[in-house]
Amino acid sequence: RFNFILLRENVGKRKAQIAAIRRSSGDLVLNVDSDSTLASDVVTKLALKMQNPEIGAAMGQLTASNRNDTWLTRLIDMEYWLACNEERAAQARFGAVMCCCGPCAMYRRSALLLLLDQYESQFFWGKPSDFGEDRHLTILMLKAGFRTEYAPDAIAATVVPDRMGPYLRQQLRWARSTFRDTFLALRLLPGLDRYITLDVVGQNLGPLLLAFAVLAGVAQVALTATVPLWTVMMIAAMTMIRCSVAAFRARQLRFLAFSLHTPINLFFLLPL
């Protein structure tokens, strides 16, 4: 039931995708990363979501298949839940999920064929782009006038980094993609709901404002030898509110432990 396309050399994910899409014949194309495992009903549930011809792409909910390996994989599994069931779910209310993630995303083939040339010819600093494929393809779908959706009951499990080094490298790739493609997304915002505008602006300004707060706190310690209590208390309060809301919505107390992600964010991800 499958045709395997063997390329002569490793040309990267983007060109491999394009080769497969151009050889495909079905109405829908399913993208699955090599380290991901799909639940048995994922294709059915994503295909049902795609019945609306206005929808160009839909993604499923991601979980960490190796969640129980280390403390870091447990945190990342919660991070994925939050990204899917807060951010993506909220964006889907307006038909504008800003990134249909690679482990489990379904596309309308007729829409893909309209976009392949743009997708293949993306450059970054004068060189062909070799990162951020999922986000860029989603933005192209939105630019072409298609809706992008999220199916929370289509579950895909993917292997996540179990050590800090690989995790930080992954986050660096994603951050580069987010900031780069945000400039492309800005042209879309006037045609989208005002919530999406607020969401895109907040996602990009939020980390910068948090970094400014941390730098101000460090400066206070260095210059006055006093502890920036208000900064510490505000970050701690926001962390506990977010984790408490997540624990309530998921009906799982484990999300209170996601507060441990805050120091990782402050001392590793923000400088990165």
Side-chain angles (χ1 to χ4, degrees):
R1 293 166 51 201
F2 296 92
N3 293 321
F4 294 91
I5 302 171
L6 301 180
L7 304 178
R8 292 183 178 180
E9 58 182 5
N10 184 355
V11 293
K13 173 178 175 177
R14 188 178 307 229
K15 289 189 179 297
Q17 280 180 314
I18 291 169
I21 292 165
R22 286 186 169 144
R23 292 270 293 275
S24 65
S25 58
D27 294 332
L28 302 173
V29 174
L30 181 67
N31 184 90
V32 185
D33 282 350
S34 60
D35 58 358
S36 303
T37 307
L38 303 183
S40 59
D41 57 357
V42 162
V43 174
T44 300
K45 289 180 175 177
L46 287 177
L48 288 172
K49 180 71 74 172
M50 298 290 290
Q51 283 182 318
N52 182 348
E54 295 181 357
I55 297 175
M59 66 166 286
Q61 180 175 178
L62 308 182
T63 64
S65 58
N66 56 334
R67 180 178 101 181
N68 295 322
D69 285 1
T70 67
W71 62 272
L72 181 59
T73 58
R74 289 183 173 90
L75 285 181
I76 295 174
D77 181 70
M78 289 186 274
E79 183 181 13
Y80 280 15
W81 190 95
L82 292 166
C84 289
N85 295 295
E86 287 188 346
E87 178 188 316
R88 303 304 200 276
Q91 293 170 348
R93 290 289 295 270
F94 306 96
V97 173
M98 301 303 288
C99 179
C100 292
C101 299
C104 179
M106 183 173 281
Y107 299 93
R108 190 172 305 282
R109 181 171 172 271
S110 58
L112 284 175
L113 293 177
L114 295 174
L115 304 171
L116 281 189
D117 288 342
Q118 296 181 65
Y119 182 51
E120 186 172 17
S121 60
Q122 185 189 21
F123 284 80
F124 184 64
W125 284 3
K127 296 181 180 180
S129 177
D130 60 354
F131 66 92
E133 294 88 0
D134 307 325
R135 183 175 294 275
H136 186 63
L137 189 53
T138 306
I139 297 296
L140 290 178
M141 282 285 178
L142 292 169
K143 274 187 65 181
F146 292 97
R147 294 169 59 90
T148 53
E149 290 282 352
Y150 168 59
D153 55 352
I155 309 296
T158 187
V159 178
V160 302
D162 57 2
R163 292 176 292 111
M164 189 62 72
Y167 175 64
L168 293 179
R169 287 193 293 273
Q170 176 201 65
Q171 293 299 305
L172 178 59
R173 291 196 309 274
W174 289 1
R176 292 169 68 198
S177 171
T178 299
F179 282 105
R180 180 193 64 186
D181 284 299
T182 292
F183 291 105
L184 183 62
L186 290 177
R187 305 172 197 169
L188 293 168
L189 296 182
L192 300 177
D193 192 275
R194 287 176 294 176
Y195 166 79
I196 298 297
T197 301
L198 180 64
D199 183 53
V200 171
V201 171
Q203 280 194 57
N204 288 275
L205 284 185
L208 299 177
L209 292 174
L210 181 58
F212 178 77
V214 172
L215 288 174
V218 171
Q220 180 177 330
V221 173
L223 297 176
T224 67
T226 59
V227 178
L229 284 177
W230 279 110
T231 301
V232 173
M233 290 171 60
M234 183 61 68
I235 292 174
M238 293 177 70
T239 296
M240 291 314 301
I241 289 171
R242 185 190 184 201
C243 293
S244 298
V245 170
F248 175 77
R249 290 189 64 241
R251 302 294 191 272
Q252 298 179 43
L253 287 176
R254 70 187 179 106
F255 280 90
L256 295 177
F258 191 68
S259 57
L260 297 175
H261 191 267
T262 295
I264 295 176
N265 191 17
L266 293 177
F267 300 115
F268 291 98
L269 297 182
L270 279 179
L272 195 69

